[in-house]
Amino acid sequence: MAVQRTFSIIKPDATKRNLTGKIIAKFEDAGLRVVASKRIQMSQAQAEGFYAVHKERPFFGELVEFMISEPVVVQVLEGEDAIAKNREVMGATNPADAAEGTIRKDFALSIGENSVHGSDAPETAAEEIKYFSSDDELVG
């Protein structure tokens, strides 16, 4: 296993309910380090650009509206096999299918309001990190 970096968003449903610290603790308890983190109010243009891969899907507009509805925390996590570890800690997209103790099982409200986003591959992690963070913000 190699040390990797991955991208994570703590979504509006979680920041609105003051769950940021509890979610970060789950990442850290799993051996991931936060090497960049900032709380932002995502603009419509940022959300549309970030989720452009879903532009043709019927849920795109609803997703964008959700992501700009409240602040989010964008962060870069680092650790051994960080992409897979992050996805394991997050749990299945549908909280009903998520394993006990995962972020989505513990905190998600629904499939759409599922509290967190995480990169799914090294290529997307690199793109997503660059989308919200400059090199000088990665201080781990």
Side-chain angles (χ1 to χ4, degrees):
M1 286 193 268
V3 172
Q4 294 178 314
R5 287 184 171 168
T6 191
F7 182 74
S8 170
I9 300 176
I10 301 175
K11 292 181 177 182
D13 62 294
T15 63
K16 182 178 185 176
R17 293 179 291 141
N18 251 358
L19 297 173
T20 302
K22 290 178 181 176
I23 290 172
I24 292 171
K26 284 189 177 279
F27 291 133
E28 291 178 335
D29 290 348
L32 296 169
R33 280 182 1 137
V34 178
V35 297
S37 180
K38 57 187 170 184
R39 185 178 182 97
I40 64 169
Q41 180 69 53
M42 202 180 293
S43 71
Q44 183 160 342
Q46 280 177 311
E48 287 175 348
F50 186 77
Y51 288 106
V53 67
H54 299 302
K55 191 170 180 81
E56 301 305 318
R57 297 189 115 135
F59 61 81
F60 178 73
E62 185 178 332
L63 174 60
V64 168
E65 287 303 311
F66 168 61
M67 292 303 293
I68 67 174
S69 68
E70 297 282 338
V72 298
V73 175
V74 294
Q75 54 192 358
V76 179
L77 306 174
E78 181 180 83
E80 291 288 328
D81 204 19
I83 294 166
K85 177 63 69 177
N86 179 33
R87 297 189 68 76
E88 177 185 321
V89 172
M90 288 191 310
T93 302
N94 183 345
D97 298 334
E100 290 298 326
T102 62
I103 292 168
R104 289 177 172 151
K105 186 65 159 188
D106 290 351
F107 304 125
L109 299 173
S110 66
I111 293 175
E113 293 179 306
N114 62 17
S115 300
V116 285
H117 162 88
S119 301
D120 60 1
E123 300 77 24
T124 52
E127 289 173 24
E128 292 175 348
I129 290 168
K130 211 174 227 12
Y131 194 84
F132 284 106
S133 301
S134 62
D135 289 342
D136 65 338
E137 292 175 307
L138 305 175
V139 294

